[in-house]
Amino acid sequence: MPRIGAALLSGLTLAAVTSVTGASSPAAALQIAPQLATGGPSGPEERARADIYDSLQKLPRETPVSLVAQAVGPSVVYVETEMVRPVRTIFGLQNETRNGSGSGVVIHPSGLIITNYHVVENAREIRVSFEGNPESYPAERISFVREEDLALLKIQLPDQDEGSRPLRRRARGGLRAASDRAGADRSDGGNPDAGMTDAKGPTLFPTVRMGTSADLMPGERVVAIGSPHGQTYTVSTGIISGLHRDVSVPGRDLNFRGLIQTDASINFGNSGGPLLNIHGELIGINTVMNASAENIGFAIPVDRVRQVLEDVLFPNARRTWLGFDVTEDASGLVVSKVWPMGPAEGTGLCEGDRVVALDRTAVPDAESYLLQSLQVDVGRPVDIQFARGGETFTAPIAGWDELNGFFFRDVGLTVKEILLNQNRQPFLQVEAVLPGSPADELGVLEGDLLQAARPRTRQRYPAIALSDKATLKTILDGVPAGTEIEIDAYRDMNGDLRFSNNELLKGVLVR
């Protein structure tokens, strides 16, 4: 299939608005309009024309496109970015601030937004705003997939600041039946689903309805909403011109496959906005246009967007690990593993239990569970509701940060970042070790300081200082399972809280 070169939509472009000299003023138009309505000839032809006007007045002005705009418009956001890049000047290398803009659409009431990655790439500040609302909100890019040109944003509200929360090893309070809890602190007649909401939090944002791109038809009417050339909340309409288009983007090493082609206007600033069917359902994310032709634009199919969300964007955005794994079957979410010593160990949750709700929000499937888990803050106890043998139970659970969850699952330890001595040298201090894990086999103990690491596949390179969790995560991510990693660690053998070279230990961790 031939490939189509396309220009990527990015950056802020301001459309200059000019006035036409010599045009009739609005006041003059208002003076003439009544004469057109009441004056002039009154012969049979004019009476017939008047009858036509009367008939036209009875026709509804509302169209399917305008209904789509009314339904979906409140969930479309205008994305503004500020980015800094180094530029060479006569005074040397200096930072240049640039502004950009694009579009996005809300997919979850808590303020999760899907947009194009190129809209927010290298942005140090992101703000989003809604049509008709003078307030703009700061947003954070919480995950992205550059190769798919997709990014997930989260609107940041003042009451959502997480701050610094301690690691909790397990929840307190143990197992209790939901029916017992209902009698104590609820008046819902014992209904385990009472009080559940689709989202939790003081501010809920309007969302778009997700459609499917599996049954799209060439010639089908579509609607695009976005902010072309900085003109916020612009609606355009057209048809699906073609399906399964492969598009290459020169200069950015992007090669899209299976895009939707449409003649609905997709211009600079429409990037990241929704492409909708006539039912107001999301069928694609507008991403590129053919700059050398008119009315040739492309959108990422929503089924592909959904797959990237579930496989990459949601998992990578999750900041809290709850200590258990789930699988989905015909009955819903089933617990496939509860990690010993993990956050869920003290809850009574067992393998085979069916998860009903998380933080008082129903989670009937894997997608809703992933979305809800994004709302759980590290260390904040939330209720997990699960069913077993016809009975429903509720227990509190306080999650760890996702990085410690990764370390625990991968090599069997958790760590915290600390600064030591007068130089404030950073280390990773071991907090817990899982018996029988690779870390336990290495001989790591609680309180040890991890100082450096080097995969044995990189013998020509120096060891990497373990100054933070992200560095350890990068090292583990960069090697396959079974790789041997040399570890340098300090242990306070004499209990003086000082670490010298004779307290430096070396070993090999097998990932």
Side-chain angles (χ1 to χ4, degrees), residues 43-284:
E45 292 183 359
E46 289 303 317
R47 286 197 296 271
R49 197 160 70 96
D51 290 341
I52 294 174
Y53 267 110
D54 290 340
S55 298
L56 290 174
Q57 291 296 316
K58 298 174 184 178
L59 295 178
R61 293 169 53 201
E62 207 166 47
T63 67
V65 172
S66 68
L67 290 174
V68 169
Q70 292 173 45
V72 182
S75 64
V76 179
V77 296
Y78 177 46
V79 181
E80 297 176 280
T81 62
E82 180 179 282
M83 58 198 75
V84 176
R85 67 172 187 174
V87 294
R88 191 170 299 279
T89 70
I90 58 174
F91 302 105
L93 203 62
Q94 295 186 331
N95 288 333
E96 178 186 67
T97 301
R98 298 186 62 187
N99 295 325
S101 71
S103 306
V105 64
V106 180
I107 59 172
H108 191 267
S110 64
L112 292 178
I113 296 167
I114 189 72
T115 186
N116 287 142
Y117 172 63
H118 75 260
V119 170
V120 293
E121 184 178 8
N122 299 323
R124 70 174 184 182
E125 182 179 353
I126 304 171
R127 300 194 71 86
V128 300
S129 55
F130 294 83
E131 173 68 12
N133 185 352
E135 182 178 6
S136 67
Y137 300 90
E140 179 186 2
R141 188 188 69 199
I142 57 177
S143 62
F144 66 90
V145 183
R146 185 190 182 280
E147 296 77 10
E148 301 284 351
D149 197 27
L150 291 172
L152 189 64
L153 310 182
K154 176 70 185 297
I155 294 176
Q156 300 296 303
L157 297 174
D159 58 347
Q160 289 181 333
D161 295 338
E162 292 181 11
S164 176
R165 303 179 188 274
L167 180 82
R168 304 288 184 89
R169 295 199 178 180
R170 64 193 63 174
R172 302 295 181 186
L175 183 70
R176 63 181 187 272
S179 56
D180 296 339
R181 182 171 182 262
D185 57 12
R186 287 198 322 210
S187 57
D188 52 28
N191 176 11
D193 293 334
M196 293 183 186
T197 58
D198 291 332
K200 183 178 179 65
T203 301
L204 301 181
F205 296 95
T207 62
V208 67
R209 287 188 179 180
M210 302 287 273
T212 180
S213 49
D215 58 359
L216 298 180
M217 302 171 288
E220 181 177 348
R221 175 71 65 183
V222 292
V223 180
I225 304 179
S227 306
H229 298 282
Q231 304 305 301
T232 60
Y233 191 70
T234 297
V235 179
S236 61
T237 184
I239 62 170
I240 293 177
S241 305
L243 298 169
H244 313 299
R245 301 302 198 210
D246 296 340
V247 178
S248 296
V249 181
R252 293 188 62 88
D253 194 28
L254 284 174
N255 296 287
F256 295 104
R257 298 182 64 84
L259 296 187
I260 302 168
Q261 180 185 337
T262 178
D263 67 351
S265 296
I266 298 178
N267 299 302
F268 291 93
N270 270 113
S271 293
L275 186 69
L276 308 148
N277 63 21
I278 208 64
H279 295 155
E281 298 167 332
L282 182 68
I283 59 170

Side-chain angles (χ1 to χ4, degrees), residues 337-348:
K337 181 172 184 175
V338 178
W339 287 83
M341 293 180 60
E345 185 185 42
T347 64

